[in-house]
Amino acid sequence: MNAQATKNLNFKEKKKISLYSIGVNLTLSLIKIAGGIISGSAALLADGVHSLSDLAASASVYAGIIISNKKSKSFPFGLYKVENLVALVSAFAIFFAGYEIAKDVFFGEASPIKDLRIALIVIGLTVLITYFYARYEKKMAEKLNSPSLKADAEHIKADFYTALVVLAGILFQYFGVVWGEKIAVLVVVFFIFHSGFDILKEAVKVLLDASVDHETIDKVKNILKDNPEIEKINYITGRNSGSYKFLQLDVDLKTDSLSEAHHIAHEIEQKIKKEMPFVEKVIVHYE
Ligand SMILES: [Zn+2]
């Protein structure tokens, strides 16, 4: 498969998974809000409203994926970084979710549970859906090298922990134990902020054109090592942009012929693109 075909396939897959996320968040908001109202659980209802804001977040991930795939003359390096921008916004959505949970439990009003069974069924479903979906999405995000899907998967994982807290909250509430719920919430909020911070850090690094990872540089070195026409590698650098990498190499070649040098540079570029996924562009300088 050629590079463009792979790219189209990746785009389709990313689009598909972000649509799944929209479906998951829509389902979660509906069952939690309905369950919250029927059971009388304020925690469940609050979590349902939170899922509604997640629905907006997953819609923006979808929009980000569509926009990042657009070609435009005004953005000659592509719009791939839109995905990093969306991941950055997602990080703040995760912080906000953490804050909301803490606020609800510490400052929300307590109300009695009318129907424990309904509340438990809904939260049980939520635990299952978020646990398995977060795992699936994370795996796919890694396969597709997508920062916005990775951020979305981290968020769903945070929602899984949130569901556990809501479950504890429902039970503690039902049995009238207040402090147990608060401790559980503190632990969860810590995890939520931690994952938000990781996403934020990664997004800012890419947006500021931090260097590509050592692994990528080592892989390029290995590919160049096999080429007998290369006299010396002066430097290998690169940066990330959304799912893709842009690389720059500076090498001394064993030839004085300009056309031959050009040919070798072209070959190097093709080889790197073929052996390394998600490399968008390789620029080879030679002497
Ligand atoms: Zn959430």
Side-chain angles (χ1 to χ4, degrees):
M1 200 161 27
N2 68 41
Q4 191 53 43
T6 313
K7 230 169 143 180
N8 287 341
L9 190 71
N10 287 343
F11 171 65
K12 269 194 192 145
E13 285 272 283
K14 282 201 268 188
K15 217 166 69 170
K16 186 183 82 187
I17 292 158
S18 67
L19 278 176
Y20 287 167
S21 287
I22 292 176
V24 163
N25 283 320
L26 182 66
T27 310
L28 291 178
S29 9
L30 289 179
I31 62 171
K32 284 179 198 170
I33 290 173
I37 291 169
I38 297 167
S39 69
S41 164
L44 197 53
L45 187 59
D47 198 32
V49 174
H50 154 223
S51 288
L52 219 49
S53 72
D54 287 355
L55 184 61
S58 54
S60 75
V61 170
Y62 179 75
I65 285 171
I66 303 276
I67 294 168
S68 69
N69 194 50
K70 288 256 182 296
K71 292 270 170 281
S72 155
K73 276 211 173 88
S74 322
F75 297 92
F77 295 101
L79 285 159
Y80 305 123
K81 282 190 180 177
V82 168
E83 268 210 75
N84 302 104
L85 218 52
V86 169
L88 185 78
V89 174
S90 297
F92 286 102
I94 292 173
F95 290 142
F96 188 66
Y99 161 77
E100 284 281 299
I101 295 161
K103 196 185 72 179
D104 278 340
V105 172
F106 288 98
F107 304 110
E109 351 175 347
S111 58
I113 305 279
K114 286 181 287 191
D115 191 334
L116 183 65
R117 207 172 52 114
I118 292 284
L120 290 183
I121 289 172
V122 170
I123 205 63
L125 276 174
T126 305
V127 167
L128 288 177
I129 292 171
T130 50
Y131 178 76
F132 287 106
Y133 188 68
R135 275 179 54 156
Y136 166 76
E137 191 180 24
K138 191 174 182 196
K139 204 178 77 193
M140 294 307 284
E142 271 161 13
K143 193 181 129 198
L144 297 164
N145 205 28
S146 164
S148 63
L149 289 181
K150 242 178 252 176
D152 195 56
E154 283 299 324
H155 189 142
I156 306 257
K157 206 169 93 192
D159 292 341
F160 161 74
Y161 290 121
T162 309
L164 291 182
V165 169
V166 173
L167 173 63
I170 290 168
L171 292 175
F172 282 127
Q173 173 75 8
Y174 190 72
F175 294 109
V177 189
V178 179
W179 58 267
E181 188 184 19
K182 293 188 200 287
I183 289 171
V185 169
L186 275 181
V187 174
V188 167
V189 168
F190 171 78
F191 280 117
I192 290 176
F193 274 83
H194 186 67
S195 73
F197 185 71
D198 278 349
I199 291 165
L200 181 73
K201 200 174 66 184
E202 202 47 49
V204 169
K205 261 169 69 186
V206 174
L207 289 170
L208 294 180
D209 284 337
S211 173
V212 289
D213 51 318
H214 287 293
E215 228 175 277
T216 301
I217 305 245
D218 287 345
K219 258 192 216 159
V220 176
K221 265 189 200 156
N222 263 329
I223 292 171
L224 296 183
K225 208 178 62 195
D226 297 336
N227 196 318
E229 274 125 333
I230 293 174
E231 173 115 47
K232 190 174 151 228
I233 302 168
N234 295 318
Y235 69 74
I236 303 168
T237 59
R239 61 189 177 87
N240 287 291
S241 184
S243 298
Y244 298 97
K245 293 176 168 67
F246 290 72
L247 302 175
Q248 274 192 34
L249 326 171
D250 191 306
V251 290
D252 290 349
L253 298 177
K254 287 178 186 160
T255 175
D256 286 329
S257 151
L258 197 61
S259 71
E260 204 179 321
H262 181 82
H263 177 73
I264 296 166
H266 186 73
E267 260 183 358
I268 292 171
E269 182 181 351
Q270 292 308 314
K271 188 144 192 246
I272 290 174
K273 278 187 166 181
K274 205 177 139 209
E275 289 186 22
M276 297 174 63
F278 306 109
V279 171
E280 166 80 10
K281 202 165 188 60
V282 185
I283 295 171
V284 186
H285 297 278
Y286 46 80
E287 275 158 48

